[in-house]
Amino acid sequence: GDPLAWLSLAAALPLSYLLFFLIAYLVGLCAFWLNEAMSLTHLKDLLTMSLGGAMVPIALFPDWLQNLAGALPFQYIYAFPVGIYLGRVQGTAILAGLAIQGMWIALAYLAYRLLWRAGTRRYAIVGG
């Protein structure tokens, strides 16, 4: 295959994992405010896999759902790296996708920092 595609895939895979981790961490931080956060974790898993293209290719979605999936970070966890691997994402689309992955990672990291700060202010230790 194309060495640039393999190099791009080598960059996209760890970025997709980092994005997945940060989204999962953000959902976990909701435990500061919720008594039971497991249902939120299940919802995150469902959204990530379905709108990320892991269950059904995004191209098979109706237009409105494709637009929604395109506005969310989930496709950069699954569909984008798979698209590079399959050769469906090429050239400048790879660079744009990597930049968008980076943008989502930066936003998720910023959200993590804000939620962590707010959550640790709210947190109270009970007992002795």
Side-chain angles (χ1 to χ4, degrees), residues 2-126:
D2 178 19
L4 184 58
W6 285 108
L7 185 62
S8 301
L9 183 61
L13 286 174
L15 291 175
S16 66
Y17 180 79
L18 181 58
L19 181 57
F20 178 81
F21 172 80
L22 286 169
I23 291 170
Y25 198 82
L26 287 170
V27 170
L29 286 175
C30 292
F32 279 122
W33 294 275
L34 302 172
N35 290 331
E36 199 286 309
M38 235 14 231
S39 57
L40 198 56
T41 299
H42 293 306
L43 178 62
K44 182 262 314 166
D45 290 341
L46 178 66
L47 287 174
T48 301
M49 292 185 68
S50 58
L51 295 178
M55 290 182 170
V56 175
I58 296 171
L60 297 180
F61 291 167
D63 289 340
W64 67 270
L65 194 52
Q66 285 184 34
N67 292 335
L68 177 63
L72 298 171
F74 308 123
Q75 70 178 331
Y76 295 97
I77 295 171
Y78 296 111
F80 175 64
V82 169
I84 294 172
Y85 177 75
L86 295 176
R88 294 184 180 142
V89 180
Q90 297 179 345
T92 57
I94 292 174
L95 296 177
L98 291 171
I100 293 170
Q101 269 187 321
M103 178 207 63
W104 279 116
I105 288 168
L107 288 173
Y109 181 77
L110 178 63
Y112 142 71
R113 298 286 302 188
L114 294 171
L115 282 177
W116 178 260
R117 191 172 307 133
T120 54
R121 280 194 209 124
R122 183 182 190 288
Y123 183 70
I125 295 176
V126 178

